[in-house]
Amino acid sequence: MTEVTSYRFSFGPWNISEGADPFGPEVRTPYSLIEKLDWYRPLGFEGVQFHDDDVVEGLDDLQTGQVTRRAQEVRQALADRGLVAEFVAPRLWFHPQTIDGGFTANAAADRQYALDRCLRTIDIAREVDTRNVVLWLAREGTYIRESKNARLAYQRILETLNRMLEYDPEVRIWIEPKPNEPMDHAYVPTIGHAIALAYQTVAPDRVGGLIETAHAILAGLDPADEMAFALAHDKLGSVHLNDQNGLKFDQDKSFGSANLRMAYNQVRVLEEAGYGRHGEFIGLDVKVMRTQKQPGSTAHLTNSRETFLHLVEKVRSVDRELEQKLIDARDYEALDAYTLRHLLGVSDGSAADSQLPAMAAAGK
Ligand code: XUL
Ligand code: MN
């Protein structure tokens, strides 16, 4: 009998947000971290994704002992609620010393700040009981290419990865690629870049990727194929499922909201690869619409989770024999029509529902 994956879900506290955008202020009042943690289980989530300062607010101004104590409080708050920390990510884009980037900043002192901050992130991760650190390389890029030496930049990113891996022999690093925003052009724009870097490090087995749907679309790529590439290398640490309507600002729409078929294919790739069977999470990096009123602050999370689960059912109920027949007959038009009908729920999956498979079988 084939094993059935029982999926576990995660999100980050930043996914319950107040609606500020570059053109307007907050439209909802904030919830505390503890209020947010109280919601995870009732909403169907078990994993918490953190930025380092989600765990320890203002950590740059604190002594090591204070950071440790605060992280331990959060660890207890997770345990009290039956939650686990999935990963911690250094927020390397807010501090004045990250204006020109972190690992690739032109000033040596700024690069040192970024490395020190990442080592602190590792300490925090271990305190909240996870080995996983995510690197979204927000400002590792340029507004104008003449401002940095790109070859040197990649070497500096590699050097920092190595320093992190050496600092803690247990830590795992998942690079979250994104091609742009806030930078014009970012280094490490795709999972291919991330995995090439992983193989170059001193500990390739401990470096992988986290793929976000919207980021792949912004790179002009198919998120399902990006995930498949990482899975083929056994390097998909986690995912940030969401959606994105074309090439514009990073939208973090609810999963499936812009392109249901693309969402289906992401679920299909994950399900077919057995993703999730070793505890990997289905992470959702979604943002509620600015128009949503206070009580609807978490609707995007439950909606995305439900959409994912409905799509799992779609993947599991596909008529694989029919698909194979159509593939063998090279009748991809019929395969396309069958897929759409299946997603629309207007077919029970049998060939009798459509003339197209019959025509394919007859070689017409
Ligand atoms: C940015 C983004 C981040 C990372 C975590 O676009 O997706 O929230 O997921 O740092
Ligand atoms: Mn993300």
Side-chain angles (χ1 to χ4, degrees), residues 176 212 215 240 285:
E176 181 179 344
E212 174 165 324
H215 297 179
H240 269 173
D285 196 1

Side-chain angles (χ1 to χ4, degrees), residues 14 51 89 93 134 136 176 178 212 215 240 250 252 285:
W14 67 89
H51 291 121
W93 53 94
V134 163
W136 169 48
E176 181 179 344
K178 181 177 179 183
E212 174 165 324
H215 297 179
H240 269 173
D250 185 9
D252 295 342
D285 196 1

Side-chain angles (χ1 to χ4, degrees), residues 70-281:
R70 173 62 188 151
Q72 285 169 349
E73 281 168 23
V74 173
R75 179 187 184 135
Q76 190 58 48
L78 294 174
D80 291 345
R81 291 160 181 79
L83 302 174
V84 292
E86 185 191 1
F87 65 71
V88 181
R91 197 190 295 276
L92 280 171
W93 53 94
F94 246 76
H95 191 274
Q97 276 195 272
T98 62
I99 289 172
D100 190 35
F103 313 159
T104 68
N106 280 320
D110 294 345
R111 294 198 299 277
Q112 187 63 45
Y113 166 81
L115 173 63
D116 291 344
R117 175 91 181 220
C118 286
L119 301 186
R120 257 193 154 182
T121 301
I122 294 174
D123 293 341
I124 292 170
R126 302 313 298 268
E127 289 298 345
V128 296
D129 204 21
T130 177
R131 296 167 56 194
N132 309 322
V133 166
V134 163
L135 292 180
W136 169 48
L137 301 171
R139 297 193 190 277
E140 312 302 352
T142 59
Y143 303 111
I144 54 160
R145 274 317 196 208
E146 296 81 3
S147 63
K148 284 183 188 173
N149 176 328
R151 185 168 176 273
L152 186 59
Y154 278 109
Q155 287 169 340
R156 284 176 168 162
I157 292 170
L158 178 63
E159 202 178 296
T160 316
L161 293 174
N162 283 339
R163 297 287 296 276
M164 293 172 69
L165 293 163
E166 283 161 358
Y167 177 74
D168 183 337
E170 299 281 302
V171 76
R172 289 188 291 225
I173 300 174
W174 298 335
I175 300 170
E176 181 179 344
K178 181 177 179 183
N180 63 288
E181 197 200 40
M183 306 315 294
D184 181 4
H185 289 292
Y187 302 126
V188 198
T190 72
I191 198 65
H193 293 75
I195 289 180
L197 268 168
Y199 285 127
Q200 270 191 306
T201 65
V202 293
D205 288 352
R206 291 192 283 129
V207 187
L210 179 156
I211 296 178
E212 174 165 324
T213 313
H215 297 179
I217 295 170
L218 286 169
L221 298 168
D222 178 62
D225 279 355
E226 289 286 272
M227 288 171 194
F229 180 81
L231 288 163
H233 289 263
D234 198 18
K235 288 205 171 295
L236 189 61
S238 191
V239 290
H240 269 173
L241 300 186
N242 58 18
D243 215 344
Q244 171 74 25
N245 192 14
L247 299 183
K248 50 189 85 165
F249 63 94
D250 185 9
Q251 296 182 302
D252 295 342
K253 282 172 161 309
S254 288
F255 184 51
S257 157
N259 191 330
L260 200 53
R261 187 168 182 178
M262 235 184 204
Y264 163 75
N265 277 300
Q266 289 166 69
V267 177
R268 188 172 163 128
V269 158
L270 294 172
E271 168 82 2
E272 285 176 355
Y275 177 91
R277 290 201 196 141
H278 302 287
E280 303 93 333
F281 278 94

